[in-house]
Structures are given as C-alpha cells and as structure tokens.
Amino acid sequence: MQDDDDNLLAILGPTNTGKTYTAFEKLFSYSSGIFGFPLRLLARENYDKAVKRVGLSNVALITGEEKIIPKEANYFFCTVESMPKNIAVDCVIVDEIQLAADYERGHIFTDRILNLRGNFQTIFLGSLNIENILKKIYPNITINKKNRFSKLTFLRKQNLSKLEPRSAIIAFNINKVYEIAENIRAHKGGTAVVLGSLSPRTRNAQVEVYENKNVDYLVATDAIGMGLNLNINHISFSSLEKFDGRYNRNLAPHELGQIAGRAGRYKQDGTFSYTKEAGNLDPLIIQQIETHNFENIQKIYWRNSNLDFSSIEKLLSSLKKYPVRNYFIHKKNALDEVNFRNLINDNEIRTCINTEKKLKLLWDISQIPDFEKLFNDNYLLLLKEIFLILIQNNYNIPEEWIDRKISRINNFGGAIPELSIKISQIRTWTYISNNHNWLKDKYYWKEKTHQIENELSDQLHDSLTKKFIDYSSKFFIGHQKLKNSQGMVEKNNNEIFLDNYKYGILRGFDLFEDKKIFSQSLFSISNIKKSVRIMIEEKVNNFLNAPMDSISFGEVSKTKINDDTFIYWGDEPVGKLKKGRSIYKPVVEALNSEYLSSENKLLISAKLQKWIDNEVNVILHPLSKNLDEDLNSEIRAIVFNCVENFGNYPIEKFKSSLKTLSQNSKTQLSKLGIRIGAKFFFTPNLLKKRPLEFCAILWKTFYQKDIDEYLPLPSNGRVSFTSDIKMPDNYWQSIGYISIKNFVFRIDVFEKIFFLARQKLKNGPFLESSDLMNPVGCNSEQLKDIMVFCEYNYLTISDNKNLFFINKNNKETKKIVKKVKNKKIIKKNTKNKTAIDPNSPFAVLEKLL
C-alpha cells in the first residue's frame, strides 16, 4: 500500500449516476490504463466499446476464462480477480468497490484497493456507503459524489400479472427464476432470463432479446445489480432474502438499493416494488432505497496477499495473518483456502509436495473456480486428479487426457439443466487453458474450449428462448400492439395464421382453434382473441348490412333429424332454429360466441328472426296470407286444414262438402294454389325443392324427434325414392309425399296415377302397364302397393302380371275371378259362348288365356 494518496479519486453514488461513463472517459485521457469490473460480462461489454473507440490492437481483455492481449495493447479491461499486477499503466480503475464488504469476494476487492496503483491516477467507483472506509484508509483521497439522474419510487405490492411492460422480476435461486419465467410466459408472452450461472455469451444473448423488445419482461437474480445497463422501468422483488452460501438471510438495504436502482435509465424515472409472497419491507428501508441513503460500511474483508510458499506450514501461517486495522475483517475459509486445506490432507498429494514449486502448483489448482457450484467431493477429486496428472507428466497435461475430458462435454444435446452443467464443466477447462501453461498447445485448447462454450451457450440460449418465450407474442408487444389486427393475424379463407402457424379458423362469429395447435402462451391467446374480436365486430356489421338472400339453411339433405338446425350466412353457421309456439313460428337464436357482445347477439338474432318470418310468408304463400272475407265457410275450412298441414290434406274429410261445392268456390281454391285431387288436396308450389326442404326443416324443428338419421328427402328433382328410415306419416305429408313400404312418392304424381287408373277402370279390370309405372318411377310390386292404397284389388296372373279391379261383390266379378283361377273351365266354354264385347273384362281375359 502506498502512502501517497494524492492521485486517488473515488467517484461514488447510486446507480444511474454515470460513474462508469465518467471513468471510461477519464481512462482514455491517459495513454494507458487498467479497468477492473466485478463481472466478466461487464469487462467484455466495455472491452467491445473500447475496441470501437481506439481499435482492436490497442485493447486487451483479461478474465478468468478469456484472454485477448495484443502486443501493442495499452488499455486492459479485466475482471477484478484478473487485474494484472505486473503492468505499469498511467491509470487504474476499480469498479463496485463496495464489494470489499462481500463475504465471498470482499478480500480480493480490498487487495485491489490497497495494492493496485496507476502512475498518475487511481480511481475507485462504488456506492456512497464505502466513503467512510476509503477515508479511513486514505485520508487525502478525493471524493467525487454523483447524484442519480432519475428518481426512484416505491410502488405498493403487486402480483406478477399486474406488472407493466419493461419490468424485471428478481429471484434468488434458479428454480424460482424458472418458475416465475414460466408464469410470465403464460400471462405476458415471454421473458428473458439472466442468471449469474449462465455463461456471459448466454447472458448477453438473453439481454439482447430483452433490449430488442422481443419481450417486455426480464427475470433475473441479483446478477443484474452489478452494472448491467438495461432499459428497465420497474424492478419487482419476488423475495427479500437470499442464500449467501452459508445461510438464508435478509437482503441488506444497500443490496436492495443496488438492484432496485437498475430501474430507470438516464433521466427516465424508475420504480420498484415486491410481490405479495415476498413478505413485507420496513418503510424506513423503502425510504433509504428511494433516497439512496444507506448505513455506512464499517468493515471490509481482508486477507494477506503476501503468501509464503516455502512450506505448507508457512503458507498456512501466512493465510492466518491478521490485519493491522480494526476496520478490516480477517477473511477465513475462502474457497481456495478450503480447497487447499482439504487437498493437503490427502496422503497421496501430501507425499508429492516436497518443493516450493509443487506447493505453488497445488495453491494454483486450489484456486480453480467451482463453476458447477458442487461444494462436494467430486470437485475436490477433479482438483486432485489435475494435480497428480501434472506432477506425473512434468507439469504438463497430456493431450489425450484433456481430450477425453472435453469430448464428454462436446455434445450439445440435452435440456436446460444438462446444458447448464456442461457449460460449467467446459468453463473449468477454459479457465485452465487461459490462466496456466499446463498445456503444450494452449492456444489450440483456448480456441477449442472457447468454441465449445460458445456453442453450448448458443444452444442454452435457444432452449431458454423456446421455453420461456412464446415468439407469437411479438405481434402484441410494443407501441404497435393492437394497432392493426390484420398485420398481426393474417386472414386467408377465414383461417387465422400467427407467425406462420395456423391458429384456427373463423366460422360465423366464432373462432375455432386448431386441434393440432402448438403451445401458445395465455398472453398471445388473449391478444389473438382481442384481434379476433375486432375482426368479428367488422364481420357483424357486414352481416347486418347483407341482403336477406345471403341467408339459408345450407345443405338441408345433410341435416340430421336429431341435430340442431343451423342457419347459414353464406356457408358459415350464424344462428339456429328453435321450437316456437306453432310449427310455422319457429324462434331464431344467434349462436353463442365469446366474441359477440350481448348487443350484437341481439341484433343478429333479430335479423335472423326477420328472415325466417319472411321465409314462412314467401315460401308458404298463399297459404300464409290472410283469406278474402267473401270466402265461404267450407272453403275456409279446407284452406285452414291445408295451411295447418303444409298444403296437403285428405279429401275424405270433406267428401260430402265437395259434392255441393260450387264452381266459384273451386276457382277460389285454385287461385290460392290448392288443387283438388281424388284423394288429397295438394299445393303444387310447395312440392318444389326449396319449399319442400323448408317444410321438412319446420317439421324437424317443431317435432324434435330423436332419430339419428339424415332427413329423408328426394334428390335431383325426383318424384319418388326409397327410404329405410321410419318416419311418422305427418313428416311425409309435410313434404308432400306418401310412403308405402319404404317407397316414397309425391302426392301430385300419385293423383296422376290414380286418375289414369280410374280412366282404365271404366273399361273394367286392367293390367299393370308402363303408363301407370313411368310417372312415379316404380316397379310392378310398388305399383301393386300403390293400387292397394287406392283401394284396388289385384290378382297375379300369367307372367306375374297384376290385374287390378274394384271388388263390388257383384256376380260378374265373381265369374271373372273364377275363370282366372280355373283356366281349363274358361277354355271349355269358349265354344258355346256368344260374341264378347272387345272392351269388356271378358275380352281382356280372353287375350290372357
């Protein structure tokens, strides 16, 4: 330690005061310098800035795992542990010197404060609470205090779901970090993750994801408290305590302040809070954080750096040496010392330590960091193995030995924990290849281990990104979110695509998600739904302005009897038909959708109801129209029954009335579209395809039969068809058809056949013929059933032909029947019979026999 402290400058203040920027500028005002940082990440970040400023050949990077030292280098950017002690430079800067009070690393910072000097200036950067110690050590030191550029304010407790964008959530163990990251992905679309255990490359990549605004959130450990310059508006603590390697303890106010101070950038104010599960924070501590007024550090850790390697005992004795100042705490049980003490107790090692060089070698090996944080025998066994292999091979590590070790790691598969372990393992060999001359071709192994670490880091970054970021959320992050839904959600034939993945399809006023949909975060799903609501709102407006003829029942023939009856706008379902108070007054209801407001649903239902009421009026015209007042009661009765039965009604119930019906009354029925057949009243206009299907839909909706079959309907304008579906007679009547033994035929065609049969019957019994079968498209057996339905009798005679007749129980008919049954008798009597009328039934029989 130098007595002259006139060239010492301390720049002290909270975060966001520009301390590092000021020191960076001062460094380049000198011809050479060393800048020590608490993190490898920060050393690399500032090294890159310096390269851009003064060129690659003028700047060196020295960290435990990376060394880039050009011959002409004048400026050295280092971790505090790696700051060179044998290089004279004009300016030396040590960052975050309040870490001298840290249990794990404090003695190293203290050593740099006491023993490293620049030729012209030495600068210490840190918090205001280290001022007291600095003045005790160096009474003449110049203190430059800086005020924070922006204000830091406490917010009340918050749930993670309430956090605003550009927030960082702090946790203090890896499991909690991953748990919170999963939560943020689900509800906010994704998060970057920053852990102290990540390799610098992975941390940089994760930080870049956040800084590029691919995500709006960051989940991190207290690693972000040390100089990571991020655009964070808010810091939220998920816990107020941490495990410091010995026990769980509450975070000190200045530690909370160091982390919370990362909120706000330059003149942009920041805020901090903690979650409900974190517990409670004393209002006085909150005030300290807001005002950056913390208790002064009273003591810092110190360990003798002038070690004696002449023997094990003397080395241990020099490590036990106590400080001479009462504001120094003697550092005991540092990790390198613990490793050394454990290793010298190993008999195999102790017998080898017979020279100062070997003792120094063991001490160097004891200082190899435990990147895996194993704290167990495996770590010590590795250190022992390295020591013995060096002793046995003339202080060199054999190529094949390290190659075997590294080959096990050179595999980029595995999940996040496995990749993290591999990175920690390769960092051990990166450290060895960069810090010691134990390898014959150390440059090869430096490149090899660095390459493997980079590839593993990239793979880990990719895995973290896939696990904790839903990249579809990028459409909904930033100032453009929800500004243009079509830019975020592409429409193509009503299919919704998001980031080239099909999300679902719009049908009607609803979104149907793809069953094969890849995992989406709740955040993206929520924003997709907001965008779809905007699209559906526009679609509803189009529907309400669309013409009525754009609405239909779709393909009625593909409607199942026991299914709901849907109403389509184009080819998309928008409503369904429900049973009303009468068969002709069904009720319409818009289909349920979470994307429809109550108001829009009512408007859609109203338009659909207007459409169905109009369809009833137009398609069933003129049955549904008000009848003229001058119609007599008989006509009114006929019309009423036809109206109630889809335009078709049996004649039988009005047979007596029809005999007295005037021609004028018949004309009135004809004007109403009702025809009088031999068996039925029928309405030809209702026997066409559209009215027929409409009547089938009305019947299906009103009677609600539990029949799991498609509606049996004629296809392609056919007047008859076969159907195995057992339907009630009133269904067939509703569509204007008659069903006999699964053969279904139209009423008007039936009336035509009945008319032809009556004309033939005037000449007596008649044979089946094509002129009877062709109109209905039936075969002999089906015609026989139709004729029986018309109350005809039949006989099957030669060639299986059917003879039809009306059985009036007269003598002549009996004689015909007898002769048909007994052909021989008829043939015998033909000699004595007189001439037969060619138009009589006997003439027909004569031809047959």
Side-chain angles (χ1 to χ4, degrees):
M1 183 175 70
Q2 298 180 4
D3 294 329
D4 182 10
D5 52 9
D6 290 337
N7 69 344
L8 296 181
L9 169 66
I11 305 175
L12 307 180
T15 55
N16 193 26
T17 55
K19 299 188 300 291
T20 306
Y21 175 81
T22 300
F24 192 83
E25 293 300 315
K26 280 185 174 291
L27 179 72
F28 288 106
S29 68
Y30 295 96
S31 60
S32 61
I34 299 172
F35 204 142
F37 296 92
L39 297 174
R40 175 186 174 188
L41 191 66
L42 288 174
R44 181 77 204 206
E45 179 185 321
N46 284 277
Y47 164 79
D48 291 338
K49 289 179 183 178
V51 166
K52 290 179 181 178
R53 180 161 178 163
V54 297
L56 189 64
S57 62
N58 285 320
V59 187
L61 174 67
I62 306 175
T63 69
E65 301 149 68
E66 196 171 10
K67 283 183 172 56
I68 303 172
I69 310 176
K71 290 181 180 179
E72 302 84 5
N74 292 312
Y75 301 99
F76 300 82
F77 291 82
C78 321
T79 52
V80 170
E81 284 84 349
S82 301
M83 293 176 76
K85 301 175 184 178
N86 56 350
I87 299 176
V89 293
D90 292 343
C91 179
V92 169
I93 304 171
V94 185
D95 193 17
E96 304 290 2
I97 59 166
Q98 74 277 0
L99 288 177
D102 179 73
Y103 177 78
E104 293 293 334
R105 303 172 67 198
H107 62 287
I108 298 168
F109 281 81
T110 301
D111 179 72
R112 303 304 180 259
I113 293 170
L114 297 176
N115 299 318
L116 272 187
R117 291 290 178 273
N119 294 332
F120 297 108
Q121 189 163 46
T122 302
I123 302 173
F124 302 131
L125 309 179
S127 301
L128 288 167
N129 59 352
I130 195 69
E131 178 186 8
N132 180 53
I133 292 291
L134 289 177
K135 285 184 174 180
K136 286 182 178 180
I137 301 173
Y138 303 115
N140 296 326
I141 190 171
T142 300
I143 305 291
N144 181 0
K145 297 181 182 179
K146 283 186 167 286
N147 295 320
R148 186 177 165 91
F149 289 128
S150 61
K151 186 178 179 182
L152 187 61
T153 308
F154 176 72
L155 299 180
R156 60 181 177 80
K157 287 183 180 180
Q158 289 180 308
N159 288 327
L160 294 178
S161 60
K162 302 294 184 183
L163 289 178
E164 293 294 324
R166 314 313 294 167
S167 293
I169 303 95
I170 309 302
F172 295 100
N173 70 70
I174 191 169
N175 291 332
K176 191 64 178 178
V177 167
Y178 289 162
E179 178 189 328
I180 293 171
E182 289 273 18
N183 188 316
I184 296 296
R185 182 192 188 278
H187 294 95
K188 303 291 187 180
T191 179
V193 174
V194 173
L195 304 164
S197 60
L198 295 180
S199 68
R201 187 181 179 92
T202 305
R203 273 183 284 179
N204 276 340
Q206 287 290 300
V207 166
E208 187 176 356
V209 167
Y210 176 80
E211 289 292 273
N212 290 342
K213 296 189 177 179
N214 290 325
V215 294
D216 268 334
Y217 297 87
L218 178 72
V219 183
T221 61
D222 50 350
I224 71 164
M226 291 298 159
L228 284 180
N229 296 312
L230 302 170
N231 287 300
I232 298 171
N233 295 339
H234 179 76
I235 294 285
S236 177
F237 292 92
S238 68
S239 175
L240 300 173
E241 62 176 31
K242 65 177 286 189
F243 180 74
D244 65 359
R246 295 174 294 170
Y247 50 79
N248 276 326
R249 63 172 178 82
N250 290 329
L251 288 159
H254 71 271
E255 291 175 310
L256 291 169
Q258 181 77 21
I259 300 167
R262 292 300 158 192
R265 184 81 180 266
Y266 192 45
K267 294 186 178 180
Q268 178 180 325
D269 292 340
T271 56
F272 70 98
S273 68
Y274 52 92
T275 62
K276 291 182 178 180
E277 65 178 15
N280 290 295
L281 198 58
D282 192 309
L284 292 176
I285 295 178
I286 293 173
Q287 185 181 27
Q288 283 181 296
I289 296 171
E290 288 181 326
T291 59
H292 323 294
N293 184 18
F294 303 106
E295 290 184 5
N296 288 328
I297 293 172
Q298 300 299 323
K299 293 187 177 184
I300 58 177
Y301 286 95
W302 176 91
R303 187 176 75 178
N304 180 26
S305 57
N306 186 21
L307 301 179
D308 185 349
F309 291 97
S310 58
S311 69
I312 294 174
E313 291 72 21
K314 288 184 178 180
L315 176 57
L316 293 176
S317 178
S318 60
L319 287 170
K320 289 179 182 179
K321 184 177 180 181
Y322 275 80
V324 295
R325 307 287 178 89
N326 61 3
Y327 43 81
F328 290 152
I329 304 172
H330 180 225
K331 173 59 182 171
K332 301 176 182 177
N333 298 323
L335 182 60
D336 52 2
E337 184 179 345
V338 171
N339 291 338
F340 180 77
R341 290 180 182 276
N342 282 315
L343 290 171
I344 60 174
N345 288 330
D346 185 285
N347 291 331
E348 196 173 354
I349 288 177
R350 197 172 185 95
T351 55
C352 293
I353 304 173
N354 50 21
T355 65
E356 184 174 329
K357 183 177 180 181
K358 289 178 181 178
L359 183 60
K360 180 68 170 64
L361 174 65
L362 185 61
W363 177 250
D364 289 340
I365 289 172
S366 299
Q367 291 186 304
I368 295 173
D370 180 14
F371 292 106
E372 286 189 70
K373 306 297 181 186
L374 295 174
F375 302 112
N376 60 26
D377 292 342
N378 288 334
Y379 172 52
L380 289 173
L381 287 172
L382 174 63
L383 299 183
K384 174 184 175 180
E385 188 178 10
I386 292 170
F387 176 77
L388 293 177
I389 203 79
L390 284 167
I391 294 297
Q392 294 163 7
N393 291 275
N394 195 26
Y395 298 94
N396 285 313
I397 295 176
E399 300 281 309
E400 62 276 9
W401 184 83
I402 190 173
D403 187 58
R404 282 199 308 272
K405 294 287 187 183
I406 290 175
S407 295
R408 298 171 189 169
I409 307 169
N410 194 11
N411 176 353
F412 309 124
I416 291 172
E418 186 178 346
L419 287 169
S420 298
I421 290 171
K422 288 178 181 177
I423 290 173
S424 299
Q425 292 171 342
I426 198 64
R427 287 178 73 184
T428 299
W429 303 109
T430 304
Y431 176 88
I432 289 172
S433 61
N434 275 278
N435 284 276
H436 300 288
N437 295 319
W438 300 337
L439 296 162
K440 288 182 180 178
D441 192 354
K442 70 174 184 177
Y443 296 106
Y444 167 80
W445 290 109
K446 279 172 64 174
E447 291 297 319
K448 178 76 172 177
T449 55
H450 188 64
Q451 177 190 354
I452 293 173
E453 181 183 336
N454 285 347
E455 290 179 358
L456 285 169
S457 297
D458 291 343
Q459 188 66 37
L460 178 58
H461 167 66
D462 188 54
S463 297
L464 289 169
T465 300
K466 287 178 179 177
K467 186 172 180 64
F468 299 124
I469 300 175
D470 170 16
Y471 258 95
S472 63
S473 66
K474 67 185 178 184
F475 291 97
F476 312 106
I477 292 174
H479 66 281
Q480 293 293 329
K481 63 181 179 180
L482 298 182
K483 185 176 181 181
N484 184 353
S485 63
Q486 291 184 347
M488 296 180 284
V489 183
E490 299 175 12
K491 291 188 290 184
N492 180 22
N493 296 325
N494 285 332
E495 292 179 334
I496 304 299
F497 284 89
L498 189 64
D499 200 20
N500 297 322
Y501 288 93
K502 183 179 176 182
Y503 181 81
I505 186 168
L506 281 177
R507 293 192 71 232
F509 304 116
D510 206 355
L511 173 66
F512 295 85
E513 295 175 4
D514 195 327
K515 291 182 180 179
K516 297 179 181 178
I517 186 172
F518 69 104
S519 176
Q520 297 268 9
S521 68
L522 296 177
F523 173 80
S524 282
I525 291 172
S526 172
N527 280 283
I528 289 170
K529 289 182 175 181
K530 288 178 185 177
S531 300
V532 169
R533 282 191 182 93
I534 294 171
M535 296 166 67
I536 286 181
E537 183 76 27
E538 179 185 346
K539 198 171 182 181
V540 169
N541 291 332
N542 291 339
F543 169 76
L544 295 175
N545 294 315
M548 286 293 189
D549 60 9
S550 63
I551 304 172
S552 70
F553 286 117
E555 293 189 55
V556 177
S557 60
K558 294 184 178 180
T559 302
K560 283 201 167 183
I561 299 166
N562 60 351
D563 282 349
D564 288 331
T565 301
F566 293 104
I567 302 174
Y568 294 83
W569 177 39
D571 59 356
E572 299 179 16
V574 293
K576 64 181 177 181
L577 218 55
K578 300 180 73 175
K579 182 177 180 178
R581 63 179 182 271
S582 78
I583 199 166
Y584 296 116
K585 292 192 178 295
V587 177
V588 179
E589 185 180 271
L591 296 180
N592 288 327
S593 170
E594 65 175 294
Y595 301 97
L596 281 181
S597 65
S598 299
E599 180 184 359
N600 280 340
K601 187 175 181 182
L602 288 173
L603 290 172
I604 293 166
S605 298
K607 177 160 184 170
L608 293 175
Q609 188 67 55
K610 182 179 179 181
W611 171 80
I612 194 67
D613 293 343
N614 186 63
E615 290 290 285
V616 171
N617 181 57
V618 171
I619 293 176
L620 298 182
H621 174 81
L623 298 181
S624 61
K625 279 199 164 186
N626 293 328
L627 302 179
D628 292 339
E629 293 180 1
D630 60 345
L631 286 179
N632 64 47
S633 59
E634 286 299 325
I635 295 298
R636 285 181 178 279
I638 292 170
V639 173
F640 174 80
N641 281 281
C642 286
V643 167
E644 291 297 307
N645 292 278
F646 298 96
N648 314 302
Y649 199 69
I651 291 284
E652 184 67 28
K653 297 187 180 181
F654 289 93
K655 202 166 187 180
S656 58
S657 302
L658 285 175
K659 293 177 181 179
T660 61
L661 205 62
S662 68
Q663 186 58 42
N664 181 52
S665 295
K666 291 180 181 179
T667 302
Q668 286 182 316
L669 280 177
S670 180
K671 285 182 178 180
L672 291 170
I674 299 173
R675 302 290 180 263
I676 304 172
K679 283 280 187 181
F680 294 95
F681 297 105
F682 63 94
T683 309
N685 284 339
L686 296 182
L687 300 177
K688 297 175 183 177
K689 184 176 188 297
R690 184 181 174 215
L692 179 150
E693 290 182 344
F694 184 69
C695 291
I697 287 292
L698 293 179
W699 181 91
K700 165 188 177 314
T701 303
F702 187 78
Y703 288 104
Q704 299 181 324
K705 296 293 183 180
D706 188 19
I707 302 172
D708 189 24
E709 298 283 356
Y710 292 104
L711 276 172
L713 294 167
S715 60
N716 302 322
R718 295 181 63 181
V719 297
S720 66
F721 61 98
T722 57
S723 175
D724 296 327
I725 303 171
K726 302 299 180 185
M727 298 294 290
D729 288 340
N730 67 349
Y731 169 74
W732 300 117
Q733 183 180 339
S734 74
I735 66 170
Y737 278 67
I738 300 167
S739 176
I740 302 175
K741 295 183 178 178
N742 299 339
F743 183 65
V744 188
F745 47 92
R746 209 164 69 192
I747 284 180
D748 61 336
V749 180
F750 163 76
E751 289 289 352
K752 183 177 181 180
I753 294 172
F754 196 19
F755 173 78
L756 291 172
R758 285 183 295 155
Q759 294 302 311
K760 287 177 178 290
L761 190 63
K762 289 178 182 179
N763 296 320
F766 57 91
L767 284 171
E768 64 183 53
S769 58
S770 60
D771 59 336
L772 289 172
M773 290 186 280
N774 287 346
V776 75
C778 65
N779 57 32
S780 173
E781 185 68 19
Q782 291 165 339
L783 179 63
K784 179 197 73 176
D785 293 334
I786 293 172
M787 299 310 294
V788 171
F789 178 74
C790 294
E791 298 178 354
Y792 281 75
N793 291 85
Y794 72 94
L795 286 174
T796 303
I797 54 178
S798 63
D799 298 328
N800 291 322
K801 295 277 188 178
N802 291 319
L803 178 71
F804 300 104
F805 57 93
I806 296 295
N807 185 2
K808 296 181 179 178
N809 201 25
N810 54 46
K811 292 180 180 180
E812 187 177 22
T813 304
K814 287 182 179 180
K815 287 168 68 178
I816 293 170
V817 173
K818 186 176 181 181
K819 287 183 179 182
V820 171
K821 289 183 177 179
N822 192 347
K823 294 180 182 180
K824 292 181 179 179
I825 295 175
I826 293 175
K827 287 180 179 179
K828 286 179 181 179
N829 292 336
T830 54
K831 294 178 181 179
N832 300 321
K833 74 179 179 179
T834 59
I836 300 173
D837 184 352
N839 294 319
S840 71
F842 295 101
V844 175
L845 287 171
E846 185 69 30
K847 292 177 184 178
L848 292 171
L849 299 172

